[in-house]
Amino acid sequence: MTASTTRRTTAKSRIAAVGAIAVAGTMLLTACGDQTDSGTKSSETSATKDAPLADLLPKDIKDKGVVKVGSDIAYPPVEFKDKSGKIVGIDPDLGAALGKQLGVTFQFENGTFDTLITGLRSKRYDLAMSAMTDTKDRQTGVDSETGKKVGEGVDFVDYFTAGVSIYTKKGDTQSISTWADLCGKKIAVQRGTVSHDLAKTETKKCEGGKKIAIEAFDTDLEAQTRLRGGGADAGSSDFPVAAYAVKTSGGGKDFEIVGDQVEAAPYGIAVAKGNDKLTKAVQAALDAIIKNGEYGKIISKWGVEAGAVTEAKINGGS
């Protein structure tokens, strides 16, 4: 989410099976190999072939074969559940591809967005991957609204770029095209996102007592429901999410995007401070799938090529 400390501000998986098969194949070969030098070498060779970057992982994660990923799984098309209940989207697909390189399964676990970094600190998750915008405040553990230190921060492996968009009910834009146009109106957003932060910042600039009425929800889907039902004049979320909502909600008849996206910034995979080995392993895996073309296929599949990156950077947000 986009350029705020809280941004999701900042937008899972058909490839997950591939990652699981790779892990299963590696485990099977290791278990079945003869307990001789030649058998061991054969197993190691096969494991390296199936998961060429497995040795970069911390030993405890490599031994478990699972990376626990905290994610707010209600943010289509980044991560969400399809009609069958399966977790799908950009992040799960990328997670499966990364897992294939590392020889582990990326296991997505649902949580509210504003608790994901806390989950990293408490070791509930190994990673947080949820359209989370890489910002200096998040890196250093500073609350963007108060400027106060609230934690030790996290490191990010940047994997996508997105800005924030405003959208309204289709055919009822009320002349809204910029954030300033929201003064005197009501906006529905997801709590703890860049959209939420932008609304709070913009309302302080409003003149004549025409403040922005802000309704913040646990999920972006709840905010969309509020707007769809007429309880707000506009909504805001990361561009990929807003574009997906415009395309799919009501068969494309519910919403329309107004104005240009703002606050373009990188999404990052968050890792707890001090876990440098895992950070570098994820970076290497991301670079590998960018190089072999798998990253591009996933990004194209979800129609978000404009946000693709060409290399995996650590803490590239500002």
Side-chain angles (χ1 to χ4, degrees):
M1 296 167 184
T2 309
S4 130
T5 298
T6 51
R7 177 185 183 175
R8 206 188 169 94
T9 343
T10 332
K12 285 172 174 158
S13 163
R14 292 173 177 78
I15 306 176
V18 178
I21 292 169
V23 175
T26 298
M27 293 175 66
L28 181 61
L29 287 165
T30 303
C32 296
D34 294 335
Q35 300 304 308
T36 63
D37 288 345
S38 60
T40 300
K41 289 177 182 177
S42 175
S43 297
E44 289 175 350
T45 299
S46 180
T48 300
K49 181 180 178 181
D50 291 343
L53 303 178
D55 288 341
L56 297 181
L57 285 170
K59 186 177 185 302
D60 61 330
I61 292 179
K62 183 179 178 183
D63 289 346
K64 286 188 303 182
V66 173
V67 174
K68 292 183 292 182
V69 183
S71 187
D72 178 6
I73 306 173
Y75 208 60
V78 186
E79 54 264 314
F80 63 106
K81 292 183 180 180
D82 66 14
K83 293 180 180 179
S84 70
K86 181 181 178 182
I87 299 172
V88 298
I90 299 166
D91 283 355
D93 280 359
L94 289 174
L98 295 173
K100 183 178 178 182
Q101 292 292 319
L102 295 167
V104 292
T105 298
F106 274 49
Q107 179 178 298
F108 281 76
E109 300 183 4
N110 198 20
T112 55
F113 183 76
D114 56 2
T115 65
L116 297 181
I117 288 180
T118 302
L120 283 177
R121 289 200 298 263
S122 66
K123 299 185 178 180
R124 178 179 178 182
Y125 312 124
D126 300 307
L127 305 173
M129 190 174 185
S130 193
M132 184 178 290
T133 300
D134 173 4
T135 68
K136 290 295 183 185
D137 283 348
R138 281 197 175 121
Q139 293 169 23
T140 56
V142 170
D143 183 288
S144 62
E145 189 170 358
T146 65
K148 294 181 179 179
K149 183 85 169 175
V150 293
E152 61 184 0
V154 296
D155 289 318
F156 287 101
V157 179
D158 299 338
Y159 67 99
F160 191 75
T161 300
V164 179
S165 294
I166 301 170
Y167 57 97
T168 67
K169 292 184 72 173
K170 193 164 188 176
D172 187 21
T173 67
Q174 301 182 63
S175 300
I176 297 170
S177 62
T178 69
W179 282 86
D181 294 333
L182 291 167
C183 292
K185 295 182 171 60
K186 182 183 287 186
I187 188 170
V189 297
Q190 181 176 7
R191 184 179 296 107
T193 64
V194 172
S195 294
H196 192 187
D197 286 350
L198 284 172
K200 288 186 287 186
T201 298
E202 192 62 42
T203 194
K204 296 175 184 178
K205 303 175 185 177
C206 294
E207 299 177 351
K210 293 184 177 181
K211 300 296 184 182
I212 301 172
I214 305 168
E215 283 200 71
F217 297 85
D218 285 340
T219 72
D220 194 75
L221 293 176
E222 290 173 329
Q224 290 177 27
T225 298
R226 183 65 166 166
L227 175 60
R228 190 184 299 110
D233 300 303
S236 176
S237 54
D238 293 358
F239 174 73
V241 178
Y244 187 83
V246 167
K247 180 180 179 180
T248 61
S249 182
K253 298 179 180 179
D254 287 344
F255 306 129
E256 65 178 283
I257 289 177
V258 294
D260 298 324
Q261 58 176 310
V262 299
E263 299 287 334
Y267 284 173
I269 302 169
V271 190
K273 288 287 187 185
N275 204 347
D276 296 347
K277 189 166 187 179
L278 179 57
T279 301
K280 291 177 181 177
V282 173
Q283 180 189 31
L286 180 57
D287 273 330
I289 65 171
I290 290 172
K291 184 177 180 179
N292 70 17
E294 195 162 8
Y295 172 88
K297 290 178 182 178
I298 293 168
I299 297 300
S300 296
K301 170 183 145 183
W302 291 102
V304 291
E305 295 93 333
V309 299
T310 56
E311 63 176 324
K313 293 183 179 179
I314 294 177
N315 295 335
S318 60

